[in-house]
Amino acid sequence: MNTYVALFRGINVGGNCTLPMKELVAILEEIGAQNVRTYIQSGNAVFKSTERNLAHLSMQLSAEIKKRRGFEPHVNILTLEALAKAVADNPFPETVIDPGSLHLGFLSASPKNPDLDKLSALKKDTERFHLADNVFYLHAPEGVGRSKLAANSERLLGVSMTDRNWRTVCKIMATAEL
């Protein structure tokens, strides 16, 4: 049995694409997941499964949500090992004292031609970023809401991305290790 983390994009934000966490747990259990736990309403789930094909699992989960709720969210499923590696490889360890300023963008695939020059041109003097494997690390001490870098990173990386702040990543990691 493998431990996985499902990161949903755009659910339960601003009253749109609502999916109660109890229903998400039920959906995951119906597709064979076990020991399902969720963290906050924005769509983070930890579960165990015998399935090894993460793309298939993601598509199956999205399709089931569409069937039940009428929308098909992007779901990025990570192994526990991939999440642990993302945490361990944090290039900005000094920022963890302000966990809301550090964001990890979990990419659906490795970017083939990321436009790092344009990303650099968009960043404020206070911002920093680092791309490693399938994770885009962004330190935005003034907040991502005002950041042109944050607003354009997915487009300039060329792959879909699901973002979580450091606090949430650590909480998900702790939930997964229970």
Side-chain angles (χ1 to χ4, degrees):
M1 225 5 108
N2 299 302
T3 300
Y4 297 121
V5 175
L7 303 174
F8 292 78
R9 182 170 172 176
I11 68 167
N12 300 333
V13 178
N16 298 316
C17 300
T18 58
L19 178 64
M21 293 299 98
K22 282 187 176 184
E23 188 172 347
L24 174 58
V25 170
I27 291 169
L28 279 160
E29 289 173 344
E30 285 178 24
I31 64 170
Q34 297 176 15
N35 196 24
V36 180
R37 290 157 286 162
T38 61
Y39 173 70
I40 66 174
Q41 294 295 316
S42 61
N44 305 290
V46 175
F47 60 95
K48 294 190 179 292
S49 176
T50 57
E51 177 65 59
R52 294 203 181 273
N53 184 333
L54 300 185
H56 172 74
L57 191 56
S58 177
M59 288 187 303
Q60 187 180 16
L61 186 51
S62 289
E64 188 61 32
I65 292 169
K66 181 172 179 144
K67 185 171 81 176
R68 289 174 174 230
R69 305 296 287 186
F71 66 93
E72 193 169 13
H74 172 78
V75 183
N76 193 348
I77 299 180
L78 310 169
T79 64
L80 179 57
E81 294 78 15
L83 183 64
K85 182 174 179 356
V87 169
D89 290 352
N90 172 14
F92 311 120
E94 70 284 357
T95 65
V96 300
I97 59 170
D98 183 13
S101 70
L102 178 61
H103 290 255
L104 281 66
F106 295 94
L107 308 176
S108 60
S110 292
K112 301 290 185 225
N113 295 304
D115 196 336
L116 300 177
D117 290 335
K118 282 191 182 173
L119 286 167
S120 292
L122 288 173
K123 77 178 192 62
K124 294 178 183 177
D125 290 340
T126 58
E127 295 177 326
R128 299 179 288 168
F129 71 89
H130 180 76
L131 178 61
D133 298 321
N134 288 1
V135 182
F136 181 73
Y137 297 87
L138 172 60
H139 178 231
E142 296 174 39
V144 293
R146 296 185 194 124
S147 171
K148 289 181 182 180
L149 175 59
N152 291 284
S153 57
E154 182 177 49
R155 179 180 58 82
L156 294 172
L157 290 168
V159 294
S160 62
M161 178 171 70
T162 304
D163 183 76
R164 299 295 187 272
N165 70 34
W166 184 255
R167 178 181 295 111
T168 298
V169 169
C170 290
K171 292 282 189 178
I172 294 168
M173 190 73 201
T175 301
E177 292 174 334
L178 290 178

